Amino acid sequence: MTISLGLGLPQMKQYDIGRDVASVARAAEETGYASLWVFERVLFPEPATQGLYGVPGLPWPDQYRSVADPLVTLALATAATGRARLGTSVLVAPLHVPFQLARSLASLDVASGGRVIAGLGTGWSLDEYAAASVAPFERRGAVLDELLDVCAAVWGPDPVSYEGELTTIAPSEVGPKPVRPIPVYLPANSPRATRRLVDRADGWMPVAMGAARLAEEWQRVQDVAAERGRERPVDVCARANARYSAKPFEGAGRQPFHGSVAQIVEDLVAHAETGVTEFLLDLQGATRDAAELIDVAAEVYEAARAAGV
């Protein structure tokens, strides 16, 4: 089975954003990548209130010290490409004013000719919430729900009107409108989040942390979809946080997608057997510069196709 492959755009501190985003986006599209993706980190606390992903004692990676704004990065990629879909994996919803984010995503969709995918989540960093959130951490699910409501209203027909906890839109014309309904992808990290995904979203964005685990989670999402009577299929794009190394990683403790090109492709083949048909490879964390990122991305893509995925 041939899967769809996406690539993470360069946002970290070792890249020249003004030059490298366009060059990587253009090269990835020419190689054959079907989609280009950004992520969101807004600060690097020292010391951090909590560990990475909220895990006590787990350090934040050094690459998070400087991460370019995701929507600015996507705008740069939009101008450099003409075919690849442009996605967020993910925007932390409570760090954005819902109305403004809905309009920004619509404008990007128009500028790109209808290529935007809105991956949204609630995040985990208390420090980021303290600096930038529109509501307390405890209200994160409610903020995501309101953002989904506001996007549906703003992207829909005029006159737009909405009344919520954070947002009041008097009957108004709001444009530009997206070229087509923007697909919304959500996580499924809890029973409530899975129900939200099934009831309100187009697709699911898991993290590929092992083929067996991904298969189990994917089956659970499909089971909930069947239980709740969802008729249309759930799309899925699994994020693979790759850690490229010129030499293979040795030993039994190797994490998925960590290692040489051959090891990354080996893991991709194993994860594709779960039935997930699209993977986002984020290779930027361990490459030195845009030239190396372009070369490694091309090598992984060609090796994956040669392996039959």
Side-chain angles (χ1 to χ4, degrees):
M1 178 182 66
T2 300
I3 61 173
S4 180
L5 286 175
L7 182 70
L9 290 168
Q11 296 173 260
M12 296 177 178
K13 65 179 183 177
Q14 69 266 42
Y15 301 103
D16 181 329
I17 302 304
R19 179 192 65 207
D20 292 346
V21 171
S23 62
V24 170
R26 192 177 299 113
E29 187 175 72
E30 291 172 355
T31 295
Y33 282 94
S35 54
L36 302 167
W37 299 83
V38 293
F39 75 106
E40 183 162 47
R41 287 271 70 84
V42 301
L43 48 71
F44 188 95
E46 290 188 307
T49 300
Q50 60 191 150
L52 185 69
Y53 310 131
V55 178
L58 186 62
W60 290 44
D62 188 63
Q63 293 93 338
Y64 284 2
R65 290 182 180 277
S66 177
V67 176
D69 180 88
L71 297 183
V72 171
T73 304
L74 274 192
L76 293 168
T78 294
T81 57
R83 173 188 55 79
R85 289 170 292 128
L86 304 161
T88 61
S89 175
V90 295
L91 295 178
V92 181
L95 305 186
H96 299 269
V97 175
F99 180 76
Q100 293 178 348
L101 181 57
R103 291 198 66 247
S104 294
L105 290 169
S107 295
L108 271 174
D109 194 66
V110 172
S112 68
R115 294 186 283 144
V116 169
I117 300 170
L120 306 170
T122 55
W124 49 267
S125 171
L126 299 178
D127 292 299
E128 290 186 334
Y129 268 74
S133 69
V134 298
F137 185 77
E138 293 74 21
R139 298 290 298 157
R140 59 194 182 278
V143 175
L144 177 55
D145 285 332
E146 180 157 327
L147 174 58
L148 295 173
D149 290 340
V150 171
C151 285
V154 168
W155 298 343
D158 293 324
V160 173
S161 63
Y162 181 79
E163 182 71 35
E165 289 188 28
L166 300 171
T167 312
T168 299
I169 308 173
S172 307
E173 292 188 18
V174 182
K177 300 297 184 184
V179 173
R180 88 296 190 225
I182 296 176
V184 172
Y185 284 32
L186 296 175
N189 300 326
S190 69
R192 182 177 179 180
T194 305
R195 293 191 296 271
R196 180 190 289 118
L197 159 68
V198 166
D199 293 346
R200 308 203 60 183
D202 300 282
W204 174 46
M205 292 213 77
V207 176
M209 292 293 290
R213 177 176 170 183
L214 181 62
E216 180 181 344
E217 292 177 345
W218 181 215
Q219 187 60 57
R220 176 172 53 83
V221 169
Q222 294 177 88
D223 289 345
V224 173
E227 291 169 4
R228 299 182 74 80
R230 179 174 172 131
E231 297 181 356
R232 59 194 175 102
V234 178
D235 296 329
V236 56
C237 179
R239 164 178 273 276
N241 293 316
R243 184 83 179 173
Y244 164 73
S245 172
K247 296 181 180 180
F249 281 9
E250 305 291 347
R254 185 178 71 87
Q255 297 183 40
F257 298 100
H258 285 209
S260 65
V261 167
Q263 288 176 317
I264 291 171
V265 171
E266 176 186 331
D267 291 333
L268 188 59
V269 170
H271 283 73
E273 292 177 356
T274 64
V276 171
T277 57
E278 183 169 11
F279 289 84
L280 150 62
L281 293 172
D282 200 338
L283 295 159
Q284 66 176 301
T287 49
R288 295 184 299 270
D289 52 30
E292 185 178 26
L293 176 55
I294 289 169
D295 289 344
V296 172
E299 190 176 351
V300 170
Y301 184 90
E302 295 302 330
R305 293 308 183 218
V309 294

